[in-house]
Amino acid sequence: WPTQIATWMARNGFQLDRIPEHNQRCALIGAGDAPVIVSPADNAQFKIRRGVDLEFQKILLDASVSNETHTIYWFLNRKLIYSGDPGEKVFITPVVGAHTLICMDETGRSSQVTMTIGE
């Protein structure tokens, strides 16, 4: 299934056949669709609200993936911040500055967005 449809189906309880995991000794990047970052949007701009605890200002990281994806990896400014189930909700605490966010699957397919967080 295309990434957006597979993600929607999985989140809505449809049973999807999983494609077997990619052989980890294979150096090739898998064919097919890379994860599509849904949130945050590319070039998103956020502003930290004064007087509101950062716990309540977290930013959702969300990506649509194909039904062959078993694990995704989120990198913030080239640092791994999450690895696990693509259906898991992941949030980050905002930090002022310009940031690059990358989402990669276990076969090496990836996409990236940039975002800016101001005061």
Side-chain angles (χ1 to χ4, degrees):
W1 294 100
T3 56
Q4 289 91 343
I5 294 171
T7 299
W8 181 88
M9 290 176 72
R11 289 181 179 164
N12 287 283
F14 288 87
Q15 190 69 8
L16 297 175
D17 292 331
R18 291 282 198 168
I19 296 172
E21 288 190 38
H22 187 76
N23 184 337
Q24 294 195 11
R25 292 182 289 187
C26 176
L28 298 176
I29 293 177
D33 294 334
V36 175
I37 298 174
V38 177
S39 175
D42 194 22
N43 297 314
Q45 296 183 4
F46 297 93
K47 185 172 182 178
I48 296 175
R49 296 174 300 192
R50 292 180 187 205
V52 177
D53 191 312
L54 288 177
E55 181 68 23
F56 302 108
Q57 299 188 56
K58 290 185 175 184
I59 299 167
L60 172 66
L61 306 184
D62 189 22
S64 291
V65 297
S66 71
N67 61 330
E68 65 186 21
T69 300
H70 301 279
T71 304
I72 60 170
Y73 305 90
W74 286 101
F75 296 87
L76 181 62
N77 300 328
R78 297 183 174 237
K79 180 180 177 187
L80 179 66
I81 58 171
Y82 173 81
S83 66
D85 185 335
E88 192 72 30
K89 290 195 182 284
V90 179
F91 294 87
I92 57 170
T93 302
V95 175
V96 173
H99 305 282
T100 300
L101 186 64
I102 297 172
C103 183
M104 180 183 295
D105 67 15
E106 69 270 13
T107 65
R109 298 173 297 197
S110 66
S111 59
Q112 78 174 36
V113 297
T114 59
M115 65 179 170
T116 304
I117 301 172
E119 291 187 86

